[in-house]
Amino acid sequence: MLSLILSDGKQQKVKEESTLLKIVDTYATSFGSPIVEGIYNGEGWDLQRPLVADGTVDFVEMNTEEGMRIYVRTLLFLFLVAAKRLYPFVDIEVRNTLGSAIYCIDKSEKRLNADDLKKIEAEMHKMVENKEKIILRRFTKQEAMKNMSVSSEDCVALLKALDDNSMISVYYLCEAEGYFFGHMCPDVSYVPNFELIKYDDEGVVINYPDIGNWKVLPPFKDLPGLNEAFREAETWAEMIKCNTVGRLNQIIDLGYANKIIQVAEALHEKKIAAIADEIASKKDVLKLILIAGPSSSGKTSFAQRLSIQLAVNGIFPIPISMDDYYLNRADTPCKPDGSYDFETVEAIDLKLFNNHLFRLLKGETVKLPKYNFRSGMREYRGREIKLNEGNVLIVEGIHGLNERLTLMIPAINKMKIYVSALTPMSFDEYTRIQTTDMRLLRRIVRDSQFRSLDATETLEIWDDVRYGEEQYIFPYQNSADVVFNTTLIYEFAVLKKYVQPRLEAVTMDKKKSYFSACRLLRLLAHVKEISDDVIPNNSILREFIGGSVFKDAL
């Protein structure tokens, strides 16, 4: 018998090889949404996976970020099986997320139309009503590579990167097989809320609930600018035959990693130069460049490299820090818990900021404030600026896309640039590397290298960081004039050697952080490492791993 300590402190005895499914029913009423995963000795544990030792057990419910990962994974499996059942010719590839929706493309010659999607949706709902089971089976690495249909070329390349002692979790729904790099719900009745939407000629959108409200299906909100940036990155990655982790591993094995690094960096330089050229073409009227993006998107390095390319065009940027326009501490808005809310746009002195921008664009000289973070007061230390011919103002900050920040400035005089890490990489045709995970890996490395924070501390604050992004950045993505993708096709393999030991150092007593660290380590296990020796010192990735020529970027 095994002895388990459950989340409420109670002890329970179970037989060896029992699963958490037998325990879940007892605790289901204690949660506001269905339990979809266990946390067994600190690690995420599929509800169907046999228990092997004494330990502690907690539960993950649907209305959480991790719970919605499982919801989406299960929903995608349901869609793929239903689509193949009705239309065997269909060839679906998952591309990216669009808010709380997945964008896929249909690569078959006879593409699905709106009526086809209605039929697939009806079939999916029928399977939900029938509570079709999802069965978990575990294989050794060797068994998986030899005997399973998941062993496509991409999958084999992925499995090769795993330790030889690895066990592989494979799921079966109506005899269809799937390897999805994460856990599934026990049956498809857990994912009743969804809709399929025809999107452009080849696209299909799978809309699903937002985190925290799994029963409600929100209207789909299109993000055309973001989707176009994803599409461009994915098309380019496919063109150079490096759009999956499996293919990146093959390139590393063949000794061509340096070439991929050089090509990816050249693409960044080309695109930054193109943005600078566009600004130069409008230099008579365009005087304000606003740069915004979520945490660890590489905004600072991008702004520095853009400034250099602008100088090539004879335009000389003058930076303005949004932080210097914070309200005095006593006037700063507070959160419900009484702490200061420095993330909200109301924490900025919008009237003064707009007044200074307006006067600068009129050719006046302005005395700039400097915010003293120790005293919580704005100070004036004698810095004055004037916008002369050949100058342009650059403002970097989380509120750059919010129109309230620059309400007094006409649209013709400003350009809004959204910067984010929109990775085109996937594990295979169905499983993407999430942009939030890539940014989190970047941040763990940077915080450790330059901010004296270990991985545990970064993981502990990540939810608050994400909350601020959801509130103050993502709602304004569509207002951007330009979207710049800072992801580098090779960075997953470079970040691994920096972040893996830091994640392995997270201890079980930090339950929340340990759980996240285990999940990220499972993802990293599929990629091979590469050296960073040839990464140039102006690379955006240098902002995180070190060696950047832009000292302010650190």
Side-chain angles (χ1 to χ4, degrees):
M1 298 289 286
L2 301 179
S3 178
L4 304 177
I5 304 297
L6 303 180
S7 54
D8 59 2
K10 292 180 180 178
Q11 187 174 17
Q12 186 164 336
K13 299 284 187 180
V14 299
K15 294 179 180 179
E16 283 195 46
E17 299 297 305
S18 294
T19 69
L20 293 176
L21 266 179
K22 296 182 178 180
I23 303 174
V24 161
D25 289 344
T26 307
Y27 289 86
T29 56
S30 302
F31 293 85
S33 58
I35 295 171
V36 292
E37 185 181 31
I39 304 177
Y40 179 43
N41 289 331
E43 184 179 351
W45 204 263
D46 190 282
L47 296 177
Q48 300 184 65
R49 184 175 169 184
L51 303 171
V52 294
D54 297 342
T56 60
V57 175
D58 291 293
F59 297 105
V60 175
E61 62 174 307
M62 190 80 81
N63 273 342
T64 61
E65 184 168 5
E66 174 63 15
M68 282 309 299
R69 289 179 194 270
I70 294 170
Y71 188 108
V72 172
R73 203 176 290 128
T74 305
L75 177 60
L76 178 60
F77 197 17
L78 171 62
F79 165 65
L80 295 170
V81 172
K84 278 287 189 182
R85 177 180 286 182
L86 296 181
Y87 304 99
F89 63 82
V90 76
D91 184 10
I92 297 294
E93 181 178 309
V94 178
R95 283 297 178 95
N96 52 266
T97 56
L98 287 174
S100 59
I102 303 173
Y103 172 71
C104 309
I105 61 167
D106 178 8
K107 299 170 71 176
S108 58
E109 290 186 15
K110 185 182 178 183
R111 291 172 179 160
L112 298 170
N113 58 38
D115 288 338
D116 296 332
L117 293 180
K118 290 287 185 187
K119 292 175 183 177
I120 294 172
E121 190 176 297
E123 181 68 15
M124 292 168 69
H125 281 296
K126 181 180 176 182
M127 294 171 72
V128 168
E129 291 171 8
N130 291 340
K131 297 185 177 181
E132 298 284 0
K133 300 290 185 184
I134 295 178
I135 307 299
L136 167 66
R137 293 177 186 162
R138 302 267 292 167
F139 297 91
T140 66
K141 172 181 170 178
Q142 290 72 24
E143 289 171 336
M145 293 177 67
K146 285 181 181 178
N147 304 321
M148 294 161 40
S149 60
V150 295
S151 298
S152 63
E153 183 180 346
D154 278 338
C155 195
V156 168
L158 283 169
L159 295 177
K160 281 182 177 179
L162 295 176
D163 184 272
D164 287 341
N165 297 319
S166 299
M167 294 294 294
I168 312 299
S169 292
V170 180
Y171 292 89
Y172 295 82
L173 173 58
C174 301
E175 299 184 356
E177 189 176 78
Y179 177 44
F180 287 89
F181 306 88
H183 302 145
M184 293 271 186
C185 297
D187 68 65
V188 298
S189 70
Y190 283 69
V191 294
N193 302 306
F194 56 84
E195 65 177 329
L196 304 182
I197 302 167
K198 182 66 179 172
Y199 190 99
D200 62 40
D201 181 50
E202 62 181 3
V204 177
V205 165
I206 309 173
N207 192 26
Y208 54 85
D210 289 322
I211 295 172
N213 202 357
W214 74 284
K215 289 185 176 181
V216 177
L217 187 67
F220 169 63
K221 295 179 182 178
D222 194 8
L223 299 170
L226 195 66
N227 201 42
E228 182 56 35
F230 267 119
R231 189 198 300 262
E232 181 182 56
E234 286 151 357
T235 300
W236 177 80
E238 193 170 9
M239 179 185 70
I240 65 168
K241 302 187 187 306
C242 188
N243 59 333
T244 68
V245 174
R247 293 180 186 179
L248 178 59
N249 287 344
Q250 290 174 329
I251 289 169
I252 294 169
D253 284 341
L254 291 170
Y256 296 138
N258 287 356
K259 185 68 173 179
I260 286 294
I261 291 173
Q262 293 162 354
V263 171
E265 293 292 344
L267 177 68
H268 265 193
E269 197 64 39
K270 181 178 180 180
K271 293 190 68 63
I272 293 171
I275 295 171
D277 290 345
E278 183 180 352
I279 294 169
S281 71
K282 303 173 182 177
K283 64 182 179 181
D284 291 339
V285 293
L286 191 55
K287 299 299 180 182
L288 175 61
I289 310 301
L290 297 147
I291 301 171
S295 174
S296 303
S297 55
K299 298 183 294 295
T300 305
S301 292
F302 167 78
Q304 299 271 22
R305 288 177 66 173
L306 178 63
S307 295
I308 292 171
Q309 287 293 340
L310 287 171
V312 172
N313 284 277
I315 298 173
F316 301 96
I318 299 174
I320 295 181
S321 172
M322 198 183 301
D323 289 354
D324 288 332
Y325 286 85
Y326 272 130
L327 292 167
N328 290 332
R329 188 76 46 82
D331 301 319
T332 302
C334 290
K335 299 177 183 179
D337 64 3
S339 62
Y340 291 113
D341 188 354
F342 295 108
E343 301 296 310
T344 177
V345 71
E346 278 79 16
I348 305 294
D349 190 334
L350 297 173
K351 183 177 179 181
L352 179 65
F353 188 68
N354 272 271
N355 175 269
H356 280 189
L357 292 179
F358 183 73
R359 288 171 53 199
L360 285 166
L361 264 61
K362 285 176 61 179
E364 297 181 20
T365 299
V366 169
K367 294 181 179 179
L368 293 183
K370 182 68 177 177
Y371 190 79
N372 186 324
F373 282 89
R374 288 182 178 272
S375 67
M377 300 285 288
R378 278 201 308 269
E379 301 172 350
Y380 289 87
R381 302 178 181 176
R383 185 189 175 200
E384 296 183 353
I385 62 169
K386 182 180 180 181
L387 200 60
N388 297 311
E389 187 174 351
N391 289 143
V392 65
L393 297 171
I394 288 191
V395 178
E396 177 205 329
I398 66 171
H399 300 297
L401 303 183
N402 189 334
E403 188 60 24
R404 290 182 59 196
L405 186 74
T406 56
L407 197 59
M408 293 177 63
I409 310 303
I412 195 172
N413 297 133
K414 59 191 176 187
M415 174 185 283
K416 297 177 181 179
I417 302 176
Y418 179 63
V419 176
S420 192
L422 310 173
T423 178
M425 291 291 283
S426 61
F427 288 106
D428 59 20
E429 66 267 37
Y430 303 138
T431 310
R432 309 296 298 175
I433 298 174
Q434 296 191 345
T435 59
T436 52
D437 283 342
M438 188 63 78
R439 290 192 294 108
L440 176 54
L441 294 175
R442 284 179 170 187
R443 179 151 180 160
I444 290 170
V445 174
R446 185 187 64 190
D447 283 357
S448 176
Q449 296 273 81
F450 308 113
R451 300 181 179 181
S452 300
L453 296 176
D454 61 25
T456 298
E457 292 169 300
T458 301
L459 290 167
E460 287 292 324
I461 64 173
W462 186 242
D463 283 350
D464 288 338
V465 172
R466 294 276 294 113
Y467 176 80
E469 295 169 352
E470 294 286 351
Q471 294 291 312
Y472 306 122
I473 299 176
F474 297 153
Y476 305 100
Q477 291 173 120
N478 264 351
S479 68
D481 301 302
V482 175
V483 177
F484 180 78
N485 184 2
T486 66
T487 291
L488 290 151
I489 201 77
Y490 65 84
E491 72 176 275
F492 201 36
V494 170
L495 289 173
K496 178 177 179 175
K497 74 174 183 179
Y498 287 93
V499 76
Q500 182 168 315
R502 290 168 169 86
L503 290 172
E504 290 172 343
V506 178
T507 54
M508 280 184 61
D509 59 307
K510 303 295 184 181
K511 290 185 178 180
K512 182 179 176 183
S513 299
Y514 185 78
F515 175 81
S516 297
C518 289
R519 183 182 66 81
L520 293 171
L521 284 168
R522 286 197 299 270
L523 298 181
L524 288 167
H526 293 87
V527 67
K528 297 188 174 184
E529 294 181 13
I530 57 176
S531 170
D532 54 16
D533 293 345
V534 300
I535 299 175
N537 61 8
N538 70 340
S539 171
I540 283 171
L541 194 56
R542 288 288 179 192
E543 182 175 331
F544 306 97
I545 66 173
S548 175
V549 69
F550 307 123
K551 300 303 180 184
D552 292 342
L554 306 180

